[in-house]
Coordinates of all heavy atoms in Angstrom, one line a residue:
I45 N 113.0 110.9 114.1 CA 111.8 110.2 113.6 C 111.1 111.1 112.5 O 110.7 110.6 111.5 CB 110.8 110.0 114.8 CG1 111.5 109.1 115.9 CG2 109.5 109.3 114.3 CD1 110.6 109.0 117.1
F46 N 111.1 112.4 112.8 CA 110.4 113.3 111.8 C 111.1 113.2 110.5 O 110.5 113.2 109.4 CB 110.5 114.7 112.4 CG 109.7 115.8 111.6 CD1 108.4 116.0 111.9 CD2 110.3 116.5 110.6 CE1 107.7 116.9 111.2 CE2 109.6 117.5 109.9 CZ 108.3 117.7 110.2
L47 N 112.5 113.2 110.4 CA 113.2 113.1 109.2 C 113.0 111.8 108.5 O 112.9 111.8 107.2 CB 114.7 113.3 109.5 CG 115.1 114.7 110.0 CD1 116.6 114.8 110.2 CD2 114.7 115.8 109.0
R48 N 112.9 110.7 109.2 CA 112.6 109.4 108.6 C 111.2 109.4 107.9 O 111.1 108.9 106.8 CB 112.6 108.3 109.7 CG 114.1 108.0 110.1 CD 114.1 107.2 111.4 NE 113.3 106.0 111.3 CZ 112.8 105.3 112.4 NH1 113.1 105.7 113.6 NH2 112.2 104.2 112.2
L49 N 110.2 110.1 108.5 CA 108.9 110.2 107.9 C 108.9 111.1 106.7 O 108.1 110.9 105.8 CB 107.9 110.6 109.0 CG 107.5 109.6 110.0 CD1 106.7 110.2 111.1 CD2 106.8 108.4 109.3
L50 N 109.7 112.1 106.7 CA 109.8 113.0 105.5 C 110.4 112.2 104.4 O 110.0 112.4 103.2 CB 110.7 114.2 105.8 CG 110.0 115.4 106.6 CD1 111.0 116.5 106.8 CD2 108.8 115.9 105.8
E51 N 111.4 111.4 104.6 CA 112.0 110.6 103.6 C 111.0 109.5 103.0 O 111.0 109.2 101.8 CB 113.3 109.9 104.1 CG 114.4 110.9 104.4 CD 115.6 110.3 105.0 OE1 115.5 109.0 105.3 OE2 116.6 111.0 105.3
D52 N 110.2 108.9 103.9 CA 109.3 107.9 103.5 C 108.1 107.9 104.4 O 108.1 107.3 105.5 CB 109.9 106.5 103.5 CG 109.0 105.4 103.0 OD1 107.8 105.8 102.6 OD2 109.4 104.2 103.0
P53 N 107.0 108.6 104.1 CA 105.8 108.7 104.9 C 105.1 107.4 105.2 O 104.4 107.3 106.2 CB 104.8 109.6 104.1 CG 105.7 110.4 103.2 CD 106.8 109.4 102.9
R54 N 105.5 106.3 104.4 CA 104.9 105.0 104.7 C 105.8 104.1 105.4 O 105.5 102.9 105.6 CB 104.5 104.4 103.3 CG 103.4 105.2 102.5 CD 103.3 104.7 101.1 NE 104.5 104.9 100.3 CZ 104.6 104.5 99.1 NH1 103.6 103.9 98.5 NH2 105.7 104.7 98.4
D55 N 106.9 104.6 106.0 CA 107.8 103.8 106.7 C 107.1 103.3 108.0 O 106.9 104.1 109.0 CB 109.0 104.7 107.1 CG 110.1 103.9 107.8 OD1 109.8 102.8 108.4 OD2 111.3 104.3 107.8
G56 N 106.8 102.0 108.0 CA 106.1 101.4 109.2 C 106.8 101.5 110.5 O 106.2 101.8 111.5
G57 N 108.2 101.4 110.4 CA 109.0 101.5 111.7 C 108.9 102.9 112.2 O 108.8 103.1 113.4
A58 N 109.1 103.9 111.3 CA 109.0 105.3 111.8 C 107.7 105.6 112.3 O 107.6 106.4 113.3 CB 109.4 106.2 110.6
L59 N 106.6 105.1 111.7 CA 105.2 105.4 112.2 C 105.0 104.8 113.6 O 104.4 105.5 114.5 CB 104.2 104.9 111.2 CG 104.1 105.6 109.9 CD1 103.2 104.8 108.9 CD2 103.5 107.0 110.1
R60 N 105.5 103.6 113.8 CA 105.4 103.0 115.1 C 106.2 103.8 116.1 O 105.8 103.9 117.3 CB 105.8 101.5 115.0 CG 104.9 100.6 114.3 CD 105.2 99.2 114.5 NE 106.5 98.8 113.8 CZ 106.6 98.4 112.6 NH1 105.5 98.4 111.8 NH2 107.8 98.1 112.1
D61 N 107.4 104.2 115.7 CA 108.3 104.9 116.6 C 107.6 106.3 117.0 O 107.7 106.7 118.2 CB 109.7 105.2 116.0 CG 110.5 103.9 115.9 OD1 110.1 102.9 116.6 OD2 111.5 103.9 115.2
K62 N 107.0 106.9 116.1 CA 106.3 108.2 116.3 C 105.2 107.9 117.4 O 105.0 108.7 118.3 CB 105.7 108.8 115.1 CG 104.9 110.0 115.3 CD 104.2 110.5 114.1 CE 103.2 111.7 114.4 NZ 102.5 112.1 113.2
T63 N 104.4 106.9 117.1 CA 103.3 106.6 118.0 C 103.8 106.3 119.5 O 103.2 106.9 120.4 CB 102.5 105.4 117.5 OG1 101.9 105.7 116.2 CG2 101.3 105.1 118.5
A64 N 104.8 105.5 119.5 CA 105.4 105.2 120.9 C 106.0 106.4 121.5 O 105.9 106.6 122.7 CB 106.5 104.1 120.7
F65 N 106.6 107.3 120.7 CA 107.3 108.5 121.3 C 106.2 109.4 121.9 O 106.3 109.9 123.0 CB 108.1 109.2 120.2 CG 108.7 110.5 120.6 CD1 109.9 110.4 121.3 CD2 108.2 111.7 120.3 CE1 110.6 111.6 121.7 CE2 108.8 112.9 120.7 CZ 110.0 112.8 121.4
L66 N 105.1 109.7 121.1 CA 104.1 110.6 121.6 C 103.3 110.0 122.8 O 102.8 110.8 123.6 CB 103.1 110.9 120.4 CG 103.7 111.6 119.2 CD1 102.7 111.8 118.1 CD2 104.1 113.0 119.7
A67 N 103.3 108.7 122.9 CA 102.5 108.1 124.0 C 103.3 108.1 125.3 O 102.7 107.9 126.4 CB 102.2 106.6 123.6
R68 N 104.6 108.5 125.3 CA 105.4 108.5 126.5 C 105.0 109.7 127.4 O 105.2 109.6 128.6 CB 106.9 108.6 126.1 CG 107.4 107.2 125.8 CD 108.7 107.3 124.9 NE 109.7 108.3 125.4 CZ 110.8 108.5 124.7 NH1 111.0 107.9 123.6 NH2 111.7 109.4 125.1
G69 N 104.4 110.7 126.9 CA 104.0 111.8 127.8 C 104.0 113.2 127.1 O 104.3 113.4 125.9
K70 N 103.7 114.2 128.0 CA 103.5 115.5 127.5 C 104.8 116.2 127.0 O 104.8 116.9 126.0 CB 102.9 116.4 128.6 CG 102.6 117.8 128.2 CD 101.9 118.6 129.3 CE 101.5 120.0 128.8 NZ 100.8 120.8 129.9
S71 N 105.9 115.9 127.6 CA 107.2 116.4 127.2 C 107.6 116.0 125.8 O 108.1 116.8 125.0 CB 108.3 116.0 128.2 OG 108.1 116.6 129.5
E72 N 107.3 114.7 125.5 CA 107.5 114.2 124.2 C 106.6 114.9 123.1 O 107.1 115.2 122.0 CB 107.4 112.7 124.1 CG 108.5 111.9 124.8 CD 108.4 111.9 126.3 OE1 107.4 112.5 126.9 OE2 109.3 111.4 126.9
Q73 N 105.4 115.1 123.5 CA 104.4 115.8 122.6 C 104.9 117.2 122.3 O 104.8 117.7 121.2 CB 103.0 115.7 123.2 CG 102.5 114.3 123.3 CD 101.2 114.3 124.2 OE1 100.6 115.3 124.5 NE2 100.9 113.1 124.6
I74 N 105.4 117.9 123.3 CA 105.9 119.3 123.1 C 107.1 119.3 122.2 O 107.2 120.1 121.3 CB 106.2 119.9 124.5 CG1 105.0 120.1 125.3 CG2 107.0 121.2 124.3 CD1 105.2 120.6 126.8
A75 N 108.0 118.3 122.4 CA 109.2 118.2 121.5 C 108.8 118.0 120.1 O 109.3 118.6 119.2 CB 110.1 117.1 122.0
W76 N 107.8 117.1 119.9 CA 107.4 116.8 118.5 C 106.7 118.0 117.9 O 107.0 118.3 116.7 CB 106.4 115.6 118.5 CG 105.9 115.3 117.1 CD1 104.8 115.7 116.4 CD2 106.6 114.4 116.2 NE1 104.8 115.2 115.2 CE2 105.8 114.3 115.0 CE3 107.7 113.6 116.4 CZ2 106.2 113.5 114.0 CZ3 108.1 112.8 115.3 CH2 107.3 112.8 114.1
N77 N 105.9 118.7 118.6 CA 105.3 119.9 118.1 C 106.3 121.0 117.8 O 106.1 121.7 116.8 CB 104.3 120.5 119.1 CG 103.0 119.6 119.2 OD1 102.7 118.8 118.3 ND2 102.3 119.7 120.3
R78 N 107.4 121.1 118.5 CA 108.4 122.1 118.3 C 109.1 121.8 116.9 O 109.4 122.6 116.1 CB 109.4 122.1 119.4 CG 110.5 123.2 119.2 CD 111.5 123.2 120.4 NE 112.5 124.2 120.2 CZ 113.5 124.4 121.0 NH1 113.7 123.6 122.1 NH2 114.4 125.3 120.7
V79 N 109.4 120.5 116.7 CA 110.1 120.1 115.5 C 109.1 120.4 114.3 O 109.6 121.0 113.3 CB 110.4 118.6 115.5 CG1 110.9 118.1 114.1 CG2 111.5 118.3 116.5
S80 N 107.9 120.1 114.4 CA 106.9 120.3 113.4 C 106.8 121.8 113.1 O 106.7 122.3 111.9 CB 105.6 119.7 113.7 OG 104.6 120.0 112.7
R81 N 106.7 122.7 114.1 CA 106.6 124.1 113.9 C 107.8 124.7 113.2 O 107.7 125.6 112.4 CB 106.4 124.8 115.3 CG 105.0 124.6 115.8 CD 104.7 125.7 116.9 NE 105.7 125.6 118.0 CZ 105.6 124.9 119.1 NH1 104.6 124.1 119.2 NH2 106.6 124.9 120.0
V82 N 109.0 124.3 113.6 CA 110.2 124.8 113.0 C 110.2 124.5 111.5 O 110.5 125.3 110.6 CB 111.5 124.2 113.7 CG1 112.7 124.5 112.8 CG2 111.6 124.8 115.0
W83 N 109.9 123.2 111.2 CA 109.8 122.8 109.7 C 108.8 123.6 109.0 O 109.1 124.2 107.9 CB 109.5 121.3 109.6 CG 109.0 120.9 108.3 CD1 107.8 120.5 107.9 CD2 109.8 120.9 107.1 NE1 107.8 120.2 106.6 CE2 109.0 120.4 106.0 CE3 111.2 121.2 106.8 CZ2 109.4 120.2 104.7 CZ3 111.6 121.0 105.5 CH2 110.7 120.6 104.5
N84 N 107.6 123.8 109.5 CA 106.5 124.5 108.8 C 106.9 126.0 108.7 O 106.6 126.6 107.6 CB 105.2 124.3 109.6 CG 104.6 122.9 109.5 OD1 105.0 122.2 108.6 ND2 103.8 122.6 110.4
A85 N 107.4 126.6 109.7 CA 107.7 128.0 109.7 C 108.8 128.3 108.7 O 108.8 129.3 107.9 CB 108.1 128.5 111.0

């Protein structure tokens, strides 16, 4: 999902998938934060 948003930040499907993924729970939020930290670092 992260790569899809990098390619097109306005991708409606990717934005919806991100929202649904993060809403599933804490484990999903930790995974998303890990991807974001690796990219930023």
Side-chain angles (χ1 to χ4, degrees):
I45 301 172
F46 189 87
L47 293 179
R48 287 164 57 197
L49 286 172
L50 280 178
E51 292 174 359
D52 183 1
R54 295 172 295 179
D55 184 338
L59 290 170
R60 288 191 294 272
D61 288 346
K62 175 187 174 183
T63 301
F65 180 79
L66 294 175
R68 278 158 46 185
K70 185 174 181 180
S71 295
E72 285 76 6
Q73 294 165 16
I74 292 173
W76 182 269
N77 289 337
R78 184 178 179 186
V79 172
S80 179
R81 284 197 305 270
V82 169
W83 163 249
N84 291 340

